[in-house]
Amino acid sequence: MKLKHIGMLALVTGFMFSCGEDKKEDMAVSEKVEKTEDFDFNVEQFADIKILRYQIPGWENLTLKEQKLAYYLTQAGLSGRDIMWDQNYRHNLKIRKALETIYANYSGDKNTEDWKAFETYVKRVWFSNGIHHHYSNDKLKPEFSSEYLKTLLADTNATLEGEAFEVIFNDKDSKKVNLSKGVDNVLMSAVNFYGPDVTTADVESFYGKMKSPNPKKPLSYGLNSQLVKEDGQLKERVYKSGGLYGSAIDEIVKWLELAQGVAENKAQGDAIGLLIKYYTTGDLQTWDDYNVAWTAATEGNIDYINSFIEVYNDPAGYRGSYETIVQIKDFDMSEKMSVLSENAQWFEDNSSLLDEHKKDSVVGVTYKVVNVAGEAGDASPSTPIGVNLPNANWIRAAVGSKSVSLGNIIHAYNNAGSTGRLKEFVHDDEEYELEEKYGQVADKLHTALHEVIGHASGQLNPGVGETKETLKKYASTLEEGRADLVGLYYLYSPKLQELGLVDDWKSVGKAAYDGYIRNGLMTQLIRLNLGDDVEEAHMVNRQWVSAWAYEKGKADNVIEKVTRDGKTYFNINDYEKLHDLFGQLLRETQRIKSEGDYKAVEELVEGYGVKVDQAIHAEVLERNKQFTSAPYSGFVNPVLVAEKDDNGEITAINVTQPTTFEGQMLRYGKDYGFLPSEN
């Protein structure tokens, strides 16, 4: 799962989880900018997007063999980039090819409003890996006409016809992932995990008949395939060499084989070998074998995430989106934060969970701060800031899990500049000063607690199925909210000071609580259009956690809604009682997960997490108009350039920075376009 930073207000910068979102996911982040070396973290801004760049600290300290490993893994990741585009929508690759042909070859007037609108649309499509918004899932709306696009196509000898052309301008396939209550979520979602006539009932029936050979080690059915109807019969099209996406997978395998040849140790090499076997066969038992081996391979300076992993984009919660992150260990920060994983059992034993839902033995939990060397697929350009994997509950219980915080990504966010929004939405100077002084520490600790302790905590009751089966479309938001609550419960605890992680646990906890409530009840709404429901899993969980705590604490005025000079603020009057409320909600969310209580999760999410107070939303949007900084951020990747001798052997790998977003996107399309337009 993953915690995703989404460049929220700068007082908020998201969480998305790869614990298997955030994607992906927001928490309060200080507006204070760290002092750093002379490096421009900002690339450009368009629409609701800010493009940043990040450095790779410590690259020069790696051996050439380690640099080769990171380089090969990065190339493997980029080789599968097209897969994410096709998974997101069936016409994305065809549309992208046409748009890129126009962008690269148009020689007409580029000063017109139409061309500027076209440029912005293309960049938004690049950022979202398709024609649907990366976060809201709404189809992107072009601010130019279909006639203008036809003119551009003709002028550049580009081709885009039929449904692929028309869908840019009509109302068809308007939502990539539709989780609305009362509709067929699979049928009404444009995501390309299912054939156009496959329904939610079809999915449940198809996978309901599948039984794992070992019920205690359930296979991840559906994770690596597309489900379609052929002649009225449901059939999986498996992602593998020789199968669906085979031409891109073959490229991935080519680079993984090179990576295996320079593995740092046998355990790492064996894990990469199993990943190659999985890509070659598509076998889900091999996927589990790989995850067990990968989780246990904890030695070395280089690590990676690669394959079909997070299920946030599947309305039914089965299918994994392609993603990859290549990581270099930050030794100093990892050493400082290792105390969390070393004390995982203490956190489990002292949580607010019911005793029967606590793990007797928390095993194999590792936590590292890493520096990203490259990302692709669902992790790019919009990236997580924290990751916890694998997602299979039985592997986490029996073998353990790996948690990482993406240190250089967080560093880049914190140095990209202040937006000024914090002062607008804090209740008073005390709240502002707490955020300025302790906000970044609180944010980093929440990410760590969420990933390391949160996703590793708790257990299912015997005989209860996987959450995708029991909690269905609510599984992702329940899991992210549960992990958030673990973090919130311990952020206001003297244990953090006892472990040497903070020097003033109450102030850190207060800053964390202020930021979470402010974001969950108000500031994250700048990402929504007035009248919209909250739909993205992490935004939903932040709202239901905050709204539940606000309502349940009303009798004691724990969180006070304050109106001053026509503006609304939420002020926490009693942090101790709010801590207790978070503990109560944590206990309940774990009970829901452990028992598979669908009725309870539906009431929690629909009752507190989806509907928006329209008056507050309108007010937030109005107050936000004064700020020009975009609400979402993402990154271009550094470019790893291999120098070779006359024999073709790599002698050095240098890191360079792309100068423009469009330059990198056009190069990616040219160099890593391994899939045909139709799959």
Side-chain angles (χ1 to χ4, degrees):
M1 301 171 189
K2 65 191 160 205
L3 197 54
K4 219 161 185 178
H5 178 307
I6 45 192
M8 169 68 185
L9 312 193
L11 55 134
V12 107
T13 230
F15 271 129
M16 230 158 104
F17 280 78
S18 207
C19 334
E21 187 46 72
D22 77 49
K23 283 158 73 81
K24 119 259 55 310
E25 334 184 8
D26 293 67
M27 286 190 56
V29 160
S30 172
E31 292 223 326
K32 186 176 180 180
V33 178
E34 297 175 3
K35 291 184 179 179
T36 187
E37 64 279 13
D38 185 20
F39 180 81
D40 188 0
F41 291 92
N42 293 282
V43 178
E44 69 168 303
Q45 181 171 309
F46 52 87
D48 57 354
I49 304 298
K50 181 191 292 185
I51 302 295
L52 308 175
R53 56 170 65 90
Y54 61 91
Q55 299 163 293
I56 312 178
W59 178 262
E60 66 281 359
N61 298 325
L62 298 175
T63 66
L64 179 58
K65 183 181 179 183
E66 290 168 336
Q67 289 182 351
K68 285 182 179 179
L69 177 58
Y71 173 73
Y72 294 147
L73 289 170
T74 301
Q75 293 299 307
L78 288 168
S79 296
R81 176 176 178 261
D82 274 2
I83 296 174
M84 185 71 243
W85 281 77
D86 194 73
Q87 286 181 318
N88 277 340
Y89 184 57
R90 64 188 180 278
H91 293 310
N92 272 339
L93 289 173
K94 185 180 292 185
I95 291 170
R96 191 191 77 196
K97 182 177 180 180
L99 296 180
E100 288 179 347
T101 299
I102 294 170
Y103 199 97
N105 295 289
Y106 182 64
S107 59
D109 188 352
K110 296 184 179 181
N111 294 313
T112 67
E113 291 303 312
D114 276 340
W115 176 258
K116 291 176 182 177
F118 174 79
E119 278 189 311
T120 297
Y121 179 77
V122 175
K123 290 177 182 179
R124 296 184 77 190
V125 171
W126 279 329
F127 190 87
S128 295
N129 294 313
I131 66 169
H132 296 87
H133 194 279
H134 74 287
Y135 210 73
S136 73
N137 288 310
D138 291 330
K139 190 164 66 174
L140 300 172
K141 295 180 180 179
E143 296 184 4
F144 54 86
S145 68
S146 60
E147 291 305 313
Y148 182 69
L149 181 56
K150 288 178 181 178
T151 299
L152 294 178
L153 290 165
D155 288 349
T156 56
N157 293 318
T159 302
L160 189 63
E161 300 172 330
E163 187 179 56
F165 177 92
E166 294 163 2
V167 76
I168 295 174
F169 301 97
N170 63 26
D171 294 329
K172 188 175 181 180
D173 296 332
S174 61
K175 200 83 170 176
K176 184 175 79 173
V177 183
N178 189 330
L179 296 179
S180 299
K181 186 178 180 180
V183 304
D184 189 314
N185 300 120
V186 169
L187 195 61
M188 296 302 293
S189 295
V191 69
N192 196 26
F193 287 143
Y194 299 98
D197 51 355
V198 175
T199 67
T200 301
D202 288 331
V203 178
E204 293 176 352
S205 173
F206 187 82
Y207 291 108
K209 298 172 184 175
M210 292 189 174
K211 304 299 178 185
S212 296
N214 184 347
K216 293 183 179 180
K217 298 180 178 181
L219 298 175
S220 299
Y221 288 122
L223 185 70
N224 65 334
S225 66
Q226 181 189 57
L227 186 64
V228 299
K229 282 184 179 178
E230 291 186 2
D231 299 323
Q233 299 298 310
L234 290 167
K235 175 186 176 182
E236 285 186 322
R237 301 176 71 203
V238 178
Y239 312 151
K240 65 175 182 176
S241 180
L244 186 57
Y245 304 142
S247 56
I249 288 172
D250 288 342
E251 289 291 327
I252 296 171
V253 167
K254 178 186 78 175
W255 290 104
L256 287 178
E257 288 174 342
L258 291 170
Q260 187 181 25
V262 292
E264 298 174 273
N265 50 66
K266 185 177 185 300
Q268 187 183 69
D270 288 347
I272 295 174
L274 283 168
L275 180 58
I276 292 169
K277 181 180 178 183
Y278 170 61
Y279 271 129
T280 304
T281 65
D283 179 65
L284 290 171
Q285 182 58 60
T286 302
W287 171 246
D288 280 355
D289 295 342
Y290 160 70
N291 276 283
V292 169
W294 175 82
T295 302
T298 57
E299 300 300 318
N301 297 335
I302 311 297
D303 208 347
Y304 63 95
I305 293 161
N306 183 303
S307 198
F308 314 106
I309 299 172
E310 304 297 348
V311 299
Y312 301 105
N313 287 321
D314 181 359
Y318 284 86
R319 308 190 130 66
S321 295
Y322 176 81
E323 74 170 304
T324 179
I325 304 174
V326 181
Q327 312 155 6
I328 302 169
K329 184 176 180 180
D330 182 327
F331 289 94
D332 291 339
M333 284 303 299
S334 294
E335 182 66 26
K336 291 176 184 176
M337 298 299 289
S338 63
V339 67
L340 282 179
S341 54
E342 291 166 1
N343 285 271
Q345 191 65 57
W346 183 92
F347 286 109
E348 183 78 352
D349 293 343
N350 289 275
S351 75
S352 62
L353 306 187
L354 295 171
D355 287 343
E356 59 265 34
H357 297 153
K358 294 179 181 179
K359 289 178 179 174
D360 293 331
S361 177
V362 180
V363 300
V365 176
T366 64
Y367 176 60
K368 296 177 182 178
V369 179
V370 301
N371 291 314
V372 172
E375 299 178 309
D378 203 29
S380 180
S382 178
T383 171
I385 57 172
V387 179
N388 175 273
L389 291 172
N391 285 328
N393 283 306
W394 76 264
I395 297 178
R396 301 164 75 84
V399 183
S401 62
K402 288 181 178 178
S403 296
V404 296
S405 291
L406 309 187
N408 57 337
I409 297 295
I410 295 171
H411 178 76
Y413 276 125
N414 288 339
N415 284 277
S418 166
T419 68
R421 289 186 175 98
L422 180 60
K423 274 199 169 181
E424 175 62 38
F425 290 98
V426 294
H427 173 252
D428 52 29
D429 289 342
E430 179 184 5
E431 184 179 336
Y432 180 82
E433 289 164 5
L434 277 171
E435 179 65 37
E436 282 290 280
K437 188 172 183 179
Y438 298 104
Q440 286 189 14
V441 173
D443 206 30
K444 289 175 182 178
L445 275 174
H446 197 176
T447 302
L449 287 164
H450 176 118
E451 296 289 0
V452 183
I453 308 302
H455 285 300
S457 71
Q459 61 185 357
L460 300 179
N461 286 0
V464 174
E466 294 294 298
T467 55
K468 66 185 177 185
E469 300 162 351
T470 59
L471 306 183
K472 301 180 182 180
K473 68 176 182 178
Y474 300 113
S476 292
T477 191
L478 191 281
E479 177 60 19
E480 297 309 327
R482 191 187 67 84
D484 264 7
L485 285 161
V486 172
L488 290 167
Y489 187 71
Y490 284 117
L491 276 165
Y492 196 75
S493 167
K495 185 67 175 180
L496 297 185
Q497 194 157 336
E498 178 188 322
L499 294 175
L501 293 169
V502 299
D503 57 12
D504 183 349
W505 67 268
K506 280 197 172 183
S507 294
V508 170
K510 287 179 179 180
Y513 283 16
D514 288 340
Y516 197 91
I517 295 300
R518 185 173 61 244
N519 184 32
L521 294 180
M522 290 195 70
T523 54
Q524 70 172 1
L525 297 177
I526 70 164
R527 295 182 223 137
L528 300 179
N529 296 317
L530 189 62
D532 286 354
D533 288 342
V534 185
E535 294 181 275
E536 195 281 328
H538 299 83
M539 286 184 69
V540 171
N541 93 241
R542 287 189 293 270
Q543 178 166 296
W544 62 251
V545 168
S546 301
W548 186 96
Y550 171 63
E551 181 179 288
K552 299 303 181 183
K554 272 186 176 180
D556 295 323
N557 203 27
V558 176
I559 303 171
E560 181 181 6
K561 183 180 178 182
V562 177
T563 302
R564 185 175 64 244
D565 300 326
K567 296 181 179 181
T568 303
Y569 306 89
F570 287 92
N571 185 53
I572 300 172
N573 293 317
D574 195 325
Y575 292 93
E576 282 75 17
K577 286 186 177 178
L578 182 54
H579 172 261
D580 291 342
L581 286 169
F582 284 147
Q584 292 173 35
L585 186 54
L586 171 58
R587 184 185 306 117
E588 172 61 5
T589 55
Q590 183 61 57
R591 184 200 66 77
I592 290 171
K593 179 180 179 180
S594 296
E595 298 178 2
D597 191 340
Y598 180 83
K599 184 174 185 295
V601 73
E602 182 181 45
E603 290 176 353
L604 177 64
V605 174
E606 297 292 344
Y608 294 98
V610 176
K611 296 300 178 182
V612 177
D613 183 316
Q614 294 301 306
I616 287 181
H617 192 185
E619 178 194 325
V620 168
L621 294 177
E622 183 62 33
R623 291 165 67 180
N624 186 59
K625 286 180 180 178
Q626 62 188 294
F627 306 108
T628 58
S629 182
Y632 301 99
S633 296
F635 290 85
V636 289
N637 288 303
V639 182
L640 304 182
V641 181
E643 294 184 5
K644 298 181 180 180
D645 62 19
D646 293 340
N647 297 319
E649 293 295 318
I650 294 176
T651 58
I653 298 174
N654 300 313
V655 178
T656 64
Q657 290 289 342
T659 55
T660 65
F661 178 58
E662 62 266 30
Q664 182 158 92
M665 294 298 101
L666 288 169
R667 185 178 73 82
Y668 281 176
K670 178 176 178 290
D671 292 349
Y672 303 103
F674 296 118
L675 290 182
S677 297
E678 296 288 345
N679 292 284

